[in-house]
Amino acid sequence: MSSDPLDSVLQEMHDLFVADPVRAVRGQGFIKTLHSFIANQIRARLTAEAIRAGVTVEEEATIFGSHKPKDVDVSVIHPKNGPLMIVGLRSQMSSVAKNALTYYQDIVGECISLQDRFPLAVIGYIYLMPLHPIKVGHEDVYIDHGRYAKMYNAISGRSGFDYKSLRGIYDQFAYMVVDFTNSPPTLEDSVVRSAVPKTDLSARTFVSRMIATYIERNLFLDYFKPNDA
């Protein structure tokens, strides 16, 4: 068994899915395992100053978007100033070709809604797909990971002096391609890099990239331990 905490999380997700795919997806136990991992990674990077200020890392917090409330998967919230960081997560373990474009439209719309209301917040997204489908009867279905990597790359990297005016582009994105046939399951970042070699879309660096973006934009606040701490 790998000592890497993310590998342990992927093994737990694999076991939940194989035991009962319908319950794992519909009950959200599968993806909520990853929610908790990301929340704990961010929580571990909060400084004493952030904790004294009442900053919390919450799962499933209800955040008001531009048109309606949204249950955000993971968020960093200041008690007086609202969301500082927002993270959405999604897994798609089957019917990828059928639903990927619809979900793509949804996550772009979600990004726009949150950025309209909180243009200064650092907003990121994590999208997980299997390298090969593991749902019984779907094992031979082809997933065009190169195409999807390019799609997610196109909505990642909000930057520049006018970043506050940009909509529909996430500050950071992670595209997780996971080989669940391995034990423990492995994160196949090389598949993503081969399609978008100039962009880091790895889940292993996602939290550090989110925090680096926050620190760069908020030099007057010491709320997160830097990446080299």
Side-chain angles (χ1 to χ4, degrees):
M1 180 66 69
S2 171
S3 60
D4 188 296
L6 180 56
D7 291 339
S8 298
V9 169
L10 294 177
Q11 182 67 61
E12 183 178 353
M13 294 174 74
H14 169 272
D15 295 344
L16 284 170
F17 190 86
V18 170
D20 190 336
V22 174
R23 182 179 179 185
V25 174
R26 291 184 179 175
Q28 295 197 334
F30 179 80
I31 193 62
K32 283 187 176 181
T33 302
L34 188 58
H35 291 189
S36 296
F37 173 74
I38 295 298
N40 287 333
Q41 275 202 319
I42 297 173
R43 198 172 285 120
R45 298 282 293 275
L46 291 178
T47 63
E49 180 178 330
I51 294 169
R52 285 194 298 269
V55 174
T56 58
V57 180
E58 301 185 23
E59 296 178 55
E60 300 298 327
T62 301
I63 305 295
F64 291 169
S66 57
H67 297 96
K68 65 178 183 178
K70 162 70 177 174
D71 289 337
V72 172
D73 297 319
V74 179
S75 54
V76 180
I77 300 177
H78 188 282
K80 294 182 179 179
N81 296 293
L84 308 178
M85 185 179 293
I86 297 171
V87 179
L89 299 98
R90 179 185 290 274
S91 63
Q92 193 173 355
M93 296 296 290
S94 61
S95 302
V96 173
K98 178 180 178 181
N99 296 318
L101 291 179
T102 298
Y103 292 158
Y104 187 76
Q105 177 178 304
D106 289 346
I107 64 176
V108 171
E110 177 181 325
C111 184
I112 293 171
S113 177
L114 292 169
Q115 287 171 340
D116 278 347
R117 194 169 183 92
F118 305 105
L120 298 180
V122 178
I123 303 177
Y125 208 92
I126 299 176
Y127 208 121
L128 181 150
M129 289 188 196
L131 179 63
H132 309 289
I134 62 172
K135 186 175 181 179
V136 175
H138 292 247
E139 295 89 348
D140 295 332
V141 174
Y142 171 70
I143 301 177
D144 191 349
H145 292 294
R147 178 192 182 199
Y148 298 132
K150 292 174 182 177
M151 286 168 53
Y152 303 135
N153 179 57
I155 56 171
S156 174
R158 186 175 68 146
S159 61
F161 69 90
D162 61 342
Y163 77 92
K164 294 185 290 295
S165 66
L166 297 178
R167 299 291 183 268
I169 303 294
Y170 285 90
D171 293 293
Q172 300 293 344
F173 206 102
Y175 180 34
M176 298 180 67
V177 177
V178 182
D179 188 348
F180 284 104
T181 65
N182 291 331
S183 183
T186 53
L187 189 62
E188 300 296 326
D189 281 340
S190 61
V191 173
V192 179
R193 280 197 303 269
S194 66
V196 287
K198 295 182 179 180
T199 306
D200 184 359
L201 295 179
S202 176
R204 296 195 190 279
T205 62
F206 176 78
V207 168
S208 289
R209 289 187 279 119
M210 290 284 288
I211 290 174
T213 298
Y214 185 87
I215 292 173
E216 180 182 354
R217 295 177 182 169
N218 299 274
L219 297 174
F220 59 95
L221 292 174
D222 184 23
Y223 282 174
F224 293 100
K225 300 169 188 175
N227 295 341
D228 57 357

